[in-house]
Structure formats: C-alpha cells, structure tokens
Amino acid sequence: MVRLLPFGLLLGAVLLLSWLFDFKGARITDVALMAGIYAVFSLGLNVHWGFTGLFNIGIAGFFALGAYTAALLTIRPPNPLYEDYTFGGDLASRIEVGDLWFVVALLAAGAVCAIVALIIGYITLRLRDDYLAIATLGIAESVRLVFLNERWLANGSRALYGIPRFLGDVVSSKNYDYLYLGVVIVILVILYIAVERVIKSPWGRVLKAIREDEVTTAASGKNVFSFKLQSFILGAVIMGIGGALFAFRVGTVAPVTFEPLLATFVIWAMLMVGGSGNNKGAVLGAFVVWGIWTGTQELPGFLSDPYFRYVMIGLLIVVVILLRPGGILGEERRVSGQIERAEGAAPPEP
Amino acid sequence: MLEWVAHRLPLRWTVGRTLLVVVLVVLVLAFLSIIKMNLVVNGLFLGSIIGLGAIGLSMIYGILKFANIAHGDYMTWGAYIAFFLLGTLLPHSTGFGPFTFGYTLFIALPLTMLALVATALILDRLIYRRLRRRGVSTVLLAMTSLGVAIALRGLVQVIWGAESEQYPRLSKLQYQLPMDVRIPPDWIFIAALTLILVLALYLFLTRSKMGKAMRATSDNLELARVSGINTERVVWWTWAIGAALAATAGVLLVVFQALLYPDMGWEILIPLFAAVILGGIGNPYGALAGALIIGVTAEVSTQWLTPAYKPAIAFGIMIVTLLLRPRGLFGVKD
C-alpha cells in the first residue's frame, strides 16, 4: 500500500487543483473527469497490449457495449410517443439495493463485454496475432452499426438520454462534477490495484512470457490460448466498466460517440505515450494526452483545428514507436530486478 | 536460380473449382429471381474495386508480414490526389466519350499512381524500414501503420475538409441490360481497367525476374535472401505495386459511387481485410476472388438488410472464414 501513496497523492492533487481552478472558470474538473475515465480504458488496453501483446484496435466496440448496457439498464422505460426504443431497465427503482444499482450497472457492462470478448477471442486468438486486430476492428464497427440502425434497441442516431446520476440527490447539480470525479477516481484506483495485483501474480508473469515468446511459454507447459483468452476478457471487462462510467458522466449515449478517433485511437495514444506495460504509465498517459487534447482547443489558428489534432494523434503514435518505444515511464523490470537484487550486481545497460 | 518458383503455377485448380461453384449458385438463384441480378452485377463491380485494394494489401501482408492498416487510407489519398488534379490542376473537362468524367482522368490516373507510390516509398523509408532493421514484431509494425492511417486521414481533412466532394462529371443515361440490370457507362471503364491491371500483375509476377523474386520472398523470406534475392528491393516493389493498385482502387471507387469523402478508405478497410483473409494471405488472385465474393454478398444482402450493414456482412464472412478455414479458400497450409 505504501507504494500506492504517491499515486493517491497525485490523484488527490488533481481533485484539489480542479476544485481550486474551477473558480477561475478553467473547467479542469471536466478535463480530469474525462481523463480519469480514459485512464480506465488505458488500463484495460494495457492488460491487452502492454502485458499480453494482444493488438485490440476495436476499443470502441467494448466502449459502446459498456456504455449502452449501463444506459439501457438504468434509464426509465420509453415513452412510445416520442421514443423508438423498447427497453429501459430503470434499475434504480426496480431492485432494492439502494444506490448500489450503480455498481450493478458497472458489473453488467463488464459482463456483456466479457461475453463478446469470449466469443471474439475464442475465434481469433488461436490464429495469427494480427487477426485479433482485424476482428476487433470489425466488431467495433458492427456494434456501432447495430446501435445506429436498430432504432428499437437504442433510439438509433437520436441517442439515449436521461441516464440517471449516481448519488445525484446528494449534492446540488452545480457541484455534482466534484462528486462524480471522486467516484471515478475511487473506481480507477480499485481497478489499478486489481490490475497491479493480477500482473504481479504468477498469472501475470505468464502473460508477459506470452508477450515475449509464445513458443517458449507453450514449451513450459502453459496453455497459451487459454491465458490469452483470459487476458482478453479481463481487459474487455475493464473497458466495459469504463464505458459505463462514461455513460453516467455524459448522461446521453449516441452512436457518434463511438467513432474510432475518440473511442479507440486516442486511447492508443495515451497508452503509448504513458508507457505500455506500466500501469502508472497508462494512467499518466491518459491525463497527459487528454490534457493536451483539450488544452490545444484554446490555441490560435490551425493548431486548434480538430483535424490537425487528428494528425497529431497519429504522428504521436508513430513517433513514440520510432523514438521511445517505452513511452514516458517504460515498463518496470520486475523479475529481472529480483535477479539483480539476489546477485547484488549493478543493473546492466538496457 | 529461381526456376523452381516458376513451376509453381499461381492458380491452383481449387481456385477455379470453388469460383465456378459460387458463380453457378449465384446464377441459378438469380435466374430463379430469388436474388436480383442487378445487385449481383453491382456486387461484381464493387468487388473488383475492393479486389484492387485487397491484392496490394495481400501482397504487403505476404511479403512484409504485417497487416497494413493504413491501406484504406492510401486509397483515400489516391482518390483525393486525383480530385486535386482533376478539379484544380488540369483543365476542366467532363463527358469524355460515353463516360461522365473528362479525358483528364486518363492523365490524372497515372499521375495519381506515381504520387501514391512515391508517398508509400517515402513512408517506408522514414518509418517501416527503420523498424524492420530494428527487428520489431509484426504486430508493432501493424500498430505503426495504425498511426500512419490516423495521420493520413486527418491530413485529408485538414487539406480538403470533411465534406463529401465529386469529380467534375456530366450525368449520363445508364445502359439497360436484360434481367433488369442497369449499368452506368463509367462501370465499363472500371471493368476494363481492373482486367488490364490484374492481367498486367499476373504477367509481372509470372514472367519478370522481380515478380518471381517477390513470390519467392512471399513463400520464404530467409530462403529468398540466401538465394541472393535483394529482399529490400522486393519490399520496395511490393509497396510500389500495392500503392499503385490502391491509388487506382481509390479513384475507381469515386467513379463507382460518384462521391469521395475522408472516411471512404477507412470504411472499406474491413471488406479489404475480409477479402484478403478469405482469399488466403499473400495470394493476390485469392484476394481478388475473395473481394468479388464479398462484393456480391454485401450487395445482395441489401435485398433484406439496410445497406448500412454492408461492412458488417463483410465482417461476418471473415469470421466464418476464420472459424471454418483460417488459411482462407486458396491459402496454403502454414
């Protein structure tokens, strides 16, 4: 727990700063909220890519599934006069768990993503590495098309709205953002600790071994396919929870939210910049990239052109791979660190 | 030196057999009026355009061993370079012969191909070659191409804006064929150009020394290298052919749908990969056959589903292929 202290201090500082600066109208809370939610996705992607080497370019698919699951479970049943969709779970009044309906919705979002990940992973993870990329790309696009065209399911392009707020009656709506920022940070910290634990376990070391050398891992008697599938599902569950957090933040979900740029590419940039294979890096990258993304909106001229920033996201990924493959933080060397400690030797040049 | 390669005919007879069955089934269904012939024809034309893109993608996949996610955006760039040439640089001209476009397209197309080949080679020099020399995994190469794809598409939007555009065109009456088939005259051009390019590629791969070297490299990179093949040159030729075909496919796609927009290449990426996987990675003819199958299936599906689901249909075909025959219809066993 002691090692988590600086991390907690950092997040506390974000909260404090946001509270202080919002008096000057800088909307830092808003930035921190979105960065916190993106950090959840970045953690999920880190499980996929950073630790296991699974190339998922369909984060948007899990993002959308999580967000829509949470939304459909919690909104009120539709009014057939104005709305096209047929199902609204109204979880808050239907089950007797008080405010815990929020947790139920998050878990349900994770569960739906787990099922989809199981199916996709089962088909593609036995095959070449990059088949997973193409399959996730396809699933992301298909999910978006279904939500866009099946109006009975989720109101199509007209969006689902009226998603309830968690603890919305505790504070005035003016101050609600601070409360939700706290909620996001608590969930982010829980997920962070969970992923750290899991990665430090023998199970996590198998994932890293698979990433480095599949054949050797298989020769050591590990079922590579099964471990990859578990990792893929774990990451997808985290992404689903991220999607649900997002839905409760914005209050409306529409298919346009799940275009690849802001639902997939930006998250890749976050992980690559922060340092893939390092959970601290994943979180840091989310805050850095989202900070830059929103910060540059204020710049003069073409610098704030959304498409120019689009180019920058792409270039950022390429430049990081070319010049600094480890990102800002790079991966912590855990097992090899133990060896050096045991031998009492100075660490060799990387 | 490479005689043994020449003995291996690229067209295995299974290709012909499978295609024959597919074609027969489709024709029978069409004659029984279960599916509309018009949609089948549409699908063949769309499929041949997807095919031009998929051939290049499959060759890059086979020789450079990674999934070039930027391939769809290469097509977009081809479409927009031609748009710039036709709309700005070259004199305004429409309605050449039976076509809607002007004679300028015949000048713009080769220039576009050259420009895109140059772009692809520069990108390889700047990015991919460095990573190859570092010996990074193929997945990281694919990751890099994702970054390239994002940047390329963003650049299109910065330069030309996000709205849809058109090539200068003059509306023409469609040809009326039997069985309620209507063909815009431009599609003759699409068919002719596709045939010429595929034939040229076939001759190149089977007759020229570089073509044989490419096939050898695709089969076994290490063996090709120890046989004295300059694999770096093979890589350059692969990019050049892939980019030239992608440029053509991009331009033809605009001619086909009479519309160009920045997302067009990204949207066609799933059908491209589906065609490559269906045809067997590294097999250009398989990619073309796969593209035709996907084009026809996607078009015919609009009889029952909204056209918006066309990419999902391609994705579905890909998933079924991966389940039943992961090496593709015409692929060789690993």
Side-chain angles (χ1 to χ4, degrees):
Chain A
M1 288 308 281
V2 179
R3 262 182 300 168
L4 280 175
L5 200 64
F7 194 62
L9 283 177
L10 179 77
L11 291 175
V14 169
L15 256 178
L16 187 71
L17 273 177
S18 67
W19 184 71
L20 283 175
F21 277 88
D22 274 15
F23 285 114
K24 296 173 183 167
R27 300 179 46 71
I28 287 200
T29 316
D30 198 45
V31 177
L33 254 170
M34 283 311 292
I37 294 170
Y38 271 119
V40 173
F41 290 112
S42 186
L43 272 181
L45 185 62
N46 203 18
V47 173
H48 285 170
W49 171 258
F51 296 120
T52 327
L54 301 177
F55 188 24
N56 173 3
I57 51 172
I59 305 165
F62 298 114
F63 190 164
L65 282 172
Y68 270 108
T69 307
L72 285 171
L73 273 180
T74 53
I75 49 173
R76 296 246 166 75
N79 181 339
L81 276 180
Y82 311 113
E83 284 143 345
D84 297 322
Y85 65 101
T86 54
F87 178 80
D90 199 10
L91 209 57
S93 59
R94 200 166 291 181
I95 57 169
E96 295 297 321
V97 286
D99 284 319
L100 281 181
W101 60 266
F102 180 73
V103 180
V104 176
L106 291 194
L107 293 179
V112 169
C113 289
I115 294 167
V116 173
L118 176 69
I119 297 169
I120 289 295
Y122 188 82
I123 297 171
T124 53
L125 285 174
R126 283 177 210 275
L127 308 167
R128 295 170 60 131
D129 286 346
D130 29 23
Y131 279 2
L132 181 72
I134 304 160
T136 48
L137 178 71
I139 201 78
E141 195 61 15
S142 303
V143 163
R144 198 176 64 83
L145 288 176
V146 167
F147 282 121
L148 185 64
N149 291 295
E150 301 301 325
R151 297 165 66 121
W152 59 269
L153 180 66
N155 236 8
S157 59
R158 291 171 57 200
L160 286 175
Y161 38 84
I163 302 168
R165 285 176 161 182
F166 173 52
L167 297 176
D169 44 1
V170 175
V171 292
S172 66
S173 61
K174 190 171 55 128
N175 290 326
Y176 183 74
D177 282 0
Y178 301 116
L179 179 92
Y180 198 66
L181 179 57
V183 172
V184 166
I185 287 179
V186 166
I187 291 172
L188 177 62
V189 170
I190 292 173
L191 289 174
Y192 173 85
I193 294 171
V195 174
E196 277 286 291
R197 279 284 166 85
V198 150
I199 290 306
K200 280 180 184 165
S201 73
W203 185 82
R205 286 201 292 277
V206 176
L207 295 190
K208 288 188 188 175
I210 290 172
R211 182 193 65 191
E212 294 303 323
D213 191 337
E214 242 175 71
V215 178
T216 313
T217 318
S220 318
K222 300 293 179 192
N223 184 341
V224 169
F225 169 68
S226 167
F227 275 95
K228 276 183 170 179
L229 191 58
Q230 292 167 35
S231 159
F232 189 55
I233 292 173
L234 175 65
V237 167
I238 296 175
M239 290 170 184
I241 293 175
L245 284 176
F246 177 84
F248 290 118
R249 159 69 185 139
V250 295
T252 52
V253 281
V256 71
T257 313
F258 308 106
E259 302 272 353
L261 173 64
L262 281 178
T264 299
F265 302 154
V266 143
I267 299 164
W268 268 104
M270 288 167 176
L271 183 65
M272 300 306 284
V273 167
S276 66
N278 185 326
N279 287 325
K280 288 194 192 76
V283 175
L284 177 69
F287 279 84
V288 168
V289 170
W290 192 251
I292 296 173
W293 180 266
T294 44
T296 46
Q297 274 171 346
E298 312 298 328
L299 289 177
F302 75 97
L303 289 172
S304 61
D305 178 357
Y307 302 120
F308 178 72
R309 293 188 290 156
Y310 209 136
V311 179
M312 287 298 118
I313 288 286
L315 283 184
L316 197 60
I317 293 176
V318 174
V319 167
V320 167
I321 292 175
L322 278 179
L323 302 181
R324 200 179 161 84
I328 298 176
L329 288 183
E331 192 178 355
E332 290 173 51
R333 300 185 312 156
R334 277 174 182 156
V335 177
S336 50
Q338 300 288 348
I339 296 172
E340 285 148 19
R341 211 168 299 159
E343 291 176 345
E349 290 297 311
Chain B
M1 178 175 68
L2 288 165
E3 277 84 0
W4 65 275
V5 184
H7 288 297
R8 305 187 53 190
L9 278 176
L11 272 168
R12 273 173 223 90
W13 73 284
T14 47
V15 180
R17 189 184 54 175
T18 319
L19 277 187
L20 200 66
V21 171
V22 171
V23 168
L24 278 178
V25 168
V26 167
L27 279 181
V28 167
L29 286 175
F31 275 114
L32 295 173
S33 301
I34 298 171
I35 55 179
K36 289 185 190 138
M37 197 60 177
N38 196 29
L39 292 178
V40 175
V41 174
N42 282 4
L44 285 176
F45 282 97
L46 180 63
S48 59
I49 295 169
I50 296 174
L52 286 181
I55 289 172
L57 184 59
S58 194
M59 289 173 69
I60 293 169
Y61 217 149
I63 290 173
L64 282 93
K65 306 291 176 216
F66 78 96
N68 179 26
I69 293 166
H71 210 75
D73 294 285
Y74 283 14
M75 281 174 62
T76 312
W77 265 89
Y80 272 90
I81 293 171
F83 173 67
F84 169 71
L85 292 171
L86 291 170
T88 312
L89 218 56
L90 295 169
H92 185 84
S93 150
T94 56
F96 175 75
F99 305 124
T100 65
F101 48 81
Y103 71 93
T104 43
L105 191 78
F106 294 92
I107 307 167
L109 187 61
L111 290 177
T112 306
M113 288 162 92
L114 279 179
L116 202 66
V117 167
T119 312
L121 292 182
I122 291 170
L123 284 174
D124 182 71
R125 185 83 183 237
L126 283 178
I127 300 169
Y128 299 110
R129 193 173 72 167
R130 294 184 189 193
L131 293 172
R132 269 203 305 282
R133 292 201 171 151
R134 212 190 282 166
V136 302
S137 69
T138 54
V139 186
L140 198 64
L141 285 171
M143 174 77 235
T144 315
S145 73
L146 175 68
V148 172
I150 302 167
L152 282 180
R153 181 150 48 121
L155 218 49
V156 167
Q157 285 163 325
V158 168
I159 300 173
W160 287 285
E163 297 81 29
S164 341
E165 305 277 0
Q166 277 194 331
Y167 290 167
R169 66 196 298 272
L170 183 74
S171 290
K172 292 276 175 81
L173 280 178
Q174 300 188 333
Y175 294 135
Q176 197 74 40
L177 300 182
M179 291 189 69
D180 214 17
V181 175
R182 292 178 307 278
I183 293 186
D186 287 357
W187 291 15
I188 312 275
F189 174 70
I190 294 175
L193 192 57
T194 308
L195 278 177
I196 292 170
L197 286 177
V198 171
L199 197 66
L201 182 72
Y202 174 78
L203 290 177
F204 174 78
L205 286 180
T206 48
R207 303 290 156 81
S208 78
K209 201 165 178 180
M210 178 46 73
K212 290 173 186 172
M214 286 173 78
R215 283 161 52 208
T217 312
S218 180
D219 276 351
N220 189 328
L221 185 105
E222 295 305 318
L223 195 58
R225 195 175 282 153
V226 295
S227 320
I229 291 173
N230 182 346
T231 49
E232 202 56 24
R233 272 184 58 124
V234 168
V235 164
W236 280 52
W237 271 92
T238 312
W239 278 117
I241 292 173
L245 291 178
T248 317
V251 173
L252 289 186
L253 188 60
V254 180
V255 171
F256 179 80
Q257 61 191 18
L259 202 64
L260 71 164
Y261 48 95
D263 280 357
M264 57 186 277
W266 180 259
E267 281 173 7
I268 212 163
L269 193 62
I270 295 170
L272 284 182
F273 273 114
V276 169
I277 290 174
L278 186 59
I281 287 174
N283 181 339
Y285 318 103
L288 180 62
L292 291 175
I293 293 173
I294 280 164
V296 171
T297 320
E299 281 295 325
V300 169
S301 78
T302 60
Q303 214 170 317
W304 301 281
L305 296 170
T306 60
Y309 280 129
K310 277 194 243 173
I313 296 292
F315 175 62
I317 295 176
M318 193 184 88
I319 290 293
V320 172
T321 315
L322 291 180
L323 271 175
L324 301 180
R325 202 180 153 90
R327 65 190 151 104
L329 288 177
F330 319 117
V332 260
K333 260 202 181 98
D334 281 332

